[in-house]
Amino acid sequence: MPNISNNKTSQNSEKRMIRALIILVQNKKIRQISVSELCALAKVNRTTFYNHYDNIQDIAHAARQAIMDEYAKLFADNTDGFTPENLLKMFRHLADNQILYNTYFRLKPNYQELLSFYDENLAQKFYPGQNKILIRYHSEFFAAGLEAIIRRWLKNGCRETPEEMTRIIISEYSHRGI
């Protein structure tokens, strides 16, 4: 990414461009979005865009990161992992921010971004005494499964309540004590 200053104008331009990308991605695939179209919607010129980003993929990465940063704030002080309370908090947040998280998945997240929220230390609680290989596979399995459930739920307009979604996840782990 090009070097940019951190002044207020620069930050506002960046926010407007990310918001414009979020709007555009609601009706288009990322590869169909042009820099010109994004700049027109964000009310910035192309030079401003290229002062911040190299290309559309670069701003897509920045948008994904901004969404993940927002999500991370939700659990910034959490050390308990995927407790029923935290799952409910997560599903309520996702339901309240459906457009944002649908956008996240439309921007083709890197699988490792999702896995970072379920670490091997937390998985060790579900499989005490197990070797690291099993823990790594479990972490991959859990992250992929949770992602699939969240994607389906969002795609269906969050028809089930956050409480119902929490029960679904808990039922998958009821034998693990969550």
Side-chain angles (χ1 to χ4, degrees):
M1 183 185 327
N3 192 8
I4 58 171
S5 66
N6 265 341
N7 66 39
K8 196 77 159 166
T9 302
S10 179
Q11 291 172 356
N12 286 337
S13 295
E14 189 170 328
K15 286 178 184 177
R16 285 197 325 268
M17 288 185 287
I18 288 175
R19 269 184 285 206
L21 179 70
I22 289 169
I23 290 166
L24 290 169
V25 105
Q26 300 312 304
N27 299 309
K28 290 184 169 196
K29 293 181 180 182
I30 192 76
R31 68 178 178 270
Q32 297 172 319
I33 298 171
S34 71
V35 171
S36 296
E37 181 180 27
L38 187 138
C39 290
L41 185 59
K43 295 183 171 57
V44 300
N45 61 45
R46 289 173 64 86
T47 303
T48 300
F49 177 87
Y50 287 112
N51 282 338
H52 290 266
Y53 307 105
D54 291 328
N55 52 45
I56 293 292
Q57 291 301 324
D58 198 20
I59 191 173
H61 173 74
R64 283 193 315 267
Q65 189 59 53
I67 293 167
M68 289 311 315
D69 290 349
E70 192 63 32
Y71 179 81
K73 288 178 191 175
L74 186 65
F75 294 104
D77 298 327
N78 176 32
T79 58
D80 299 330
F82 285 98
T83 64
E85 295 80 16
N86 286 337
L87 285 168
L88 181 58
K89 181 179 180 180
M90 176 189 73
F91 281 114
R92 284 180 176 159
H93 178 75
L94 292 170
D96 291 342
N97 297 281
Q98 290 177 50
I99 291 173
L100 191 63
Y101 290 103
N102 271 314
T103 299
Y104 176 78
F105 289 115
R106 285 185 182 116
L107 293 174
K108 309 290 186 212
N110 175 328
Y111 185 74
Q112 293 305 314
E113 289 175 7
L114 299 170
L115 185 58
S116 67
F117 287 99
Y118 186 71
D119 67 15
E120 292 178 12
N121 292 328
L122 184 56
Q124 189 70 45
K125 290 180 182 179
F126 296 115
Y127 294 97
Q130 293 296 324
N131 66 41
K132 287 195 177 269
I133 294 171
L134 175 67
I135 297 301
R136 285 186 191 127
Y137 278 112
H138 167 75
S139 297
E140 292 279 341
F141 181 81
F142 182 83
L146 186 59
E147 176 191 349
I149 288 169
I150 290 170
R151 278 181 186 255
R152 176 174 294 248
W153 186 56
L154 288 168
K155 186 178 180 180
N156 291 333
C158 300
R159 280 188 232 150
E160 297 83 8
T161 67
E163 291 78 10
E164 289 172 306
M165 294 307 298
T166 299
R167 283 192 294 276
I168 289 168
I169 300 299
I170 290 171
S171 74
E172 293 299 313
Y173 275 86
S174 61
H175 63 286
R176 299 278 177 226
I178 159 178

